Amino acid sequence: MRIQMKTLMMACLVLCLISTAYAAQGNAVYYDPPYTKSACYQNQDHGTMVTGVSDDLWDGGRACGRRYKVQCVRGANTAPHPCHDGASVEVEVVDYCRQPCNGVLNLSKDAFAVIADTVAGKVQVEYNPV
């Protein structure tokens, strides 16, 4: 019984580590306010921690309302050290970023500023559904 419990605990630990290791990555950019007039909610205000998504995540509009935890991983251009160490932000999908979209996520400027220096303009991020 004791060996089975240890085996079960190890399996749970490995699964937790694997799910963390496989977070999706892509580029994130930002857009300036106002954040209303969106593809998902037209003129409804959904706050400042919002994002538009590219075709990769749009899912024919079913992405509306989905939430992602986003963390800056590294710069995506020549800006030196744009990431705010350890910072993450939770955002809600409210819009569609039409092609040519420069990122998988088109974060509100407020959300982008939580995880990175806005001077960078574009960063590599890790994102997970919440």
Side-chain angles (χ1 to χ4, degrees):
M1 181 74 162
R2 188 169 252 180
I3 292 174
Q4 289 175 338
M5 184 59 104
K6 283 183 181 180
T7 303
L8 180 61
M9 295 278 285
M10 287 300 288
C12 288
L13 179 64
V14 168
L15 287 174
C16 287
L17 290 173
I18 288 172
S19 66
T20 301
Y22 286 107
Q25 289 193 2
N27 285 333
V29 294
Y30 72 87
Y31 64 104
D32 291 315
Y35 305 130
T36 52
K37 192 66 176 158
S38 67
C40 296
Y41 304 109
Q42 292 71 43
N43 292 319
Q44 291 179 9
D45 184 3
H46 277 249
T48 59
M49 298 302 147
V50 294
T51 189
V53 294
S54 69
D55 289 327
D56 295 342
L57 297 175
W58 182 240
D59 197 17
R62 288 182 290 278
C64 293
R66 290 182 186 158
R67 301 185 75 77
Y68 291 94
K69 181 179 178 184
V70 184
Q71 186 170 12
C72 183
V73 176
R74 65 183 162 278
N77 54 31
T78 59
H81 313 293
C83 297
H84 297 163
D85 290 339
S88 65
V89 66
E90 189 175 311
V91 293
E92 178 186 0
V93 175
V94 297
D95 210 355
Y96 174 58
C97 186
R98 287 175 175 69
Q99 293 301 324
C101 189
N102 291 321
V104 172
L105 299 173
N106 189 14
L107 299 168
S108 65
K109 186 174 186 177
D110 295 88
F112 191 97
V114 171
I115 62 168
D117 186 349
T118 56
V119 173
K122 182 188 335 184
V123 292
Q124 182 77 22
V125 295
E126 195 171 82
Y127 57 95
N128 287 302
V130 178

